[in-house]
Amino acid sequence: MRTRIRIFGWMTIFTLLLILAAGIGSFGSSTAVEAQADSYKFDFGSGGVEAGYIGVTATDRYDATKHYGFNTPENMRNVPASGTGVGSDAVQFVTYGTKSDNTFNVDLPDGLYEVRVTLGNTARASVAAEGVYQIMNMTGNQATDSFQLPVTDGQLNLLVTEGKAGTSFTLSALEIRLLSSQPVTNRTIYIGGDSTVCNYYPLNSSVQAGWGQMLPQFVDQSAFVVRNLATGGQIARGFRNDGQLEAILKYIKPGDYFILQLGINDTNSKNNTTEAEFKELMRDMVRQVKATGATVVLSTPQGRATDFNEAGVHSSVNRWYRHATMALAAEEHVPLVDLNVLSSAYFTSIGPEATLGLYMTGDSLHPNRAGATQLARLMAEELKRQGLDGL
């Protein structure tokens, strides 16, 4: 009798272990497939899948039971990439555009998320989600950047799209992390501008930089996030009409700032924009953003490194439609940062040789990383002096 009980006991324990193991396996599978998660890590392409990531190939169609997939996988392609780990392969968006339905969809509970993207091999590409731009002109293979996104309809819809016509728009990895159950962005400083303002990649080590890229180090990041939507070559008409202002207007709210600096490229004859036209384009953007309750700040661009006179004084007050920007700020009663004059005073203080050292080699217009840092410092100091908080 004792022997039978012992045998039954071991058989029972063994059976329970098998059931438990099967249950754990099915539970793990069920969690990945059936439960709607608030964080994900995706590894795209047909190669190996990194530990901790969910593998997704170009053929994976959105499935409501697993809560993710491509809306139109027939418009996706698996491609190689030159990086390592998640960067060793990618998917390519064959059709694209901010309004395209060729998106990667992820079901998410409504809330505020941090979304981090890693591109594959691409010369220049932008990231769109919810039908608007989120990151502008990421350059170089395996470029990485992140943004905050409020989800209000239960699903993230993301794609990689135009940054430079004719190049491949690829995605190697996507990480999504819930920040808050409230689908409202943190207080945000939005920035519009051109190549002297925009981001360059890798963000933490690029030789060239725009002051918008360097501004976060002068901002209280517990109070604000910085969203830099500036792009190289941009003009006022393009910023207003081609999607960047649209992205800002979708999210900007009272308590946010919008810093706008344009004029350098508008003065180029090929862009066919008179100073009067420039002023009215800028006015339209100022009024649209002011109507949201956010604070608009206008900025004038810095001059060229070579704008020194014989006395060693740097001055570029007549460049880049500066007078129109100053007049507009007064007429619309918005703060003005005359970065043109502030930077000239700084350049004069350090002299012509040191000023050249703040610009790209052989380039008198575009600042290097050190120069962009100084411009960002001047911007932040002036905003703080004018009473804007968070700096």
Side-chain angles (χ1 to χ4, degrees):
M1 180 69 175
R2 200 178 299 126
T3 302
R4 281 201 301 271
I5 292 173
R6 186 182 296 116
I7 291 172
F8 176 76
W10 279 111
M11 288 180 66
T12 302
I13 293 170
F14 181 70
T15 302
L16 287 171
L17 286 172
L18 286 175
I19 292 170
L20 181 59
I24 290 172
S26 64
F27 177 78
S29 174
S30 174
T31 300
V33 173
E34 296 175 6
Q36 186 177 343
D38 57 20
S39 63
Y40 286 97
K41 295 172 73 175
F42 296 103
D43 182 352
F44 295 94
S46 57
V49 179
E50 287 296 295
Y53 285 77
I54 300 170
V56 181
T57 73
T59 59
D60 286 335
R61 185 178 296 276
Y62 170 78
D63 183 335
T65 62
K66 61 181 183 180
H67 297 290
Y68 62 85
F70 290 104
N71 193 47
T72 53
E74 58 272 19
N75 295 323
M76 299 300 303
R77 183 179 302 148
N78 291 315
V79 292
S82 60
T84 59
V86 293
S88 63
D89 55 357
V91 290
Q92 179 182 348
F93 291 80
V94 179
T95 63
Y96 42 84
T98 58
K99 310 305 179 189
S100 172
D101 64 358
N102 185 34
T103 54
F104 181 69
N105 301 335
V106 185
D107 294 339
L108 296 169
D110 288 357
L112 179 65
Y113 291 83
E114 179 183 71
V115 180
R116 177 170 293 275
V117 297
T118 301
L119 303 188
N121 289 5
T122 183
R124 185 187 303 166
S126 297
V127 176
E130 312 312 302
V132 297
Y133 286 119
Q134 301 291 338
I135 305 173
M136 302 303 304
N137 287 3
M138 296 173 69
T139 54
N141 298 341
Q142 288 75 60
T144 299
D145 204 348
S146 62
F147 58 94
Q148 283 191 3
L149 183 78
V151 173
T152 58
D153 60 0
Q155 191 177 77
L156 166 67
N157 312 107
L158 179 142
L159 76 161
V160 183
T161 185
E162 297 99 330
K164 183 178 182 181
T167 63
S168 298
F169 308 118
T170 63
L171 179 63
S172 280
L174 174 66
E175 299 178 30
I176 303 166
R177 180 171 64 92
L178 179 67
L179 298 176
S180 169
S181 60
Q182 299 301 313
V184 179
T185 55
N186 295 340
R187 288 189 71 187
T188 304
I189 300 173
Y190 294 91
I191 302 173
D194 53 38
S195 58
T196 66
V197 183
C198 70
N199 290 345
Y200 295 84
Y201 294 82
L203 288 172
N204 61 355
S205 61
S206 62
V207 176
Q208 186 171 352
W211 65 253
Q213 177 180 346
M214 309 311 292
L215 187 65
Q217 64 186 288
F218 300 101
V219 171
D220 179 357
Q221 296 186 42
S222 66
F224 280 97
V225 294
V226 177
R227 293 290 300 275
N228 188 6
L229 292 172
T231 51
Q234 191 55 278
I235 59 176
R237 185 182 296 107
F239 195 90
R240 186 190 69 173
N241 295 349
D242 296 341
Q244 285 143 290
L245 181 65
E246 176 191 22
I248 292 169
L249 291 172
K250 183 177 178 71
Y251 300 115
I252 200 166
K253 61 191 181 301
D256 291 348
Y257 300 147
F258 173 43
I259 306 174
L260 181 60
Q261 177 184 298
L262 290 165
I264 292 177
N265 297 298
D266 298 85
T267 61
N268 191 317
S269 59
K270 72 177 183 180
N271 290 315
N272 195 31
T273 305
T274 67
E275 187 162 8
E277 290 169 335
F278 168 77
K279 184 178 179 182
E280 292 313 306
L281 287 163
M282 296 283 282
R283 188 191 306 277
D284 184 39
M285 289 190 279
V286 167
R287 290 183 173 179
Q288 287 192 62
V289 175
K290 281 177 65 177
T292 70
T295 299
V296 181
V297 178
L298 292 177
S299 173
T300 60
Q302 93 283 352
R304 292 186 175 275
T306 51
D307 286 336
F308 281 88
N309 63 21
E310 293 180 356
V313 175
H314 190 281
S315 178
S316 54
V317 292
N318 294 319
R319 285 196 182 276
W320 320 137
Y321 291 161
R322 170 179 172 270
H323 300 296
T325 300
M326 295 182 66
L328 178 61
E331 292 165 13
E332 295 296 327
H333 307 289
V334 298
L336 171 75
V337 174
D338 196 356
L339 190 59
N340 181 289
V341 168
L342 291 171
S343 60
S344 283
Y346 174 67
F347 295 153
T348 298
S349 73
I350 63 174
E353 185 175 350
T355 297
L356 278 173
L358 297 177
Y359 284 74
M360 296 297 290
T361 302
D363 184 342
S364 67
L365 178 61
H366 296 98
N368 57 27
R369 195 172 189 86
T373 300
Q374 291 302 326
L375 293 172
R377 176 185 62 79
L378 292 170
M379 172 65 67
E381 288 176 353
E382 178 61 14
L383 291 172
K384 184 176 181 179
R385 188 192 68 79
Q386 293 191 32
L388 277 72
D389 62 338
L391 298 152

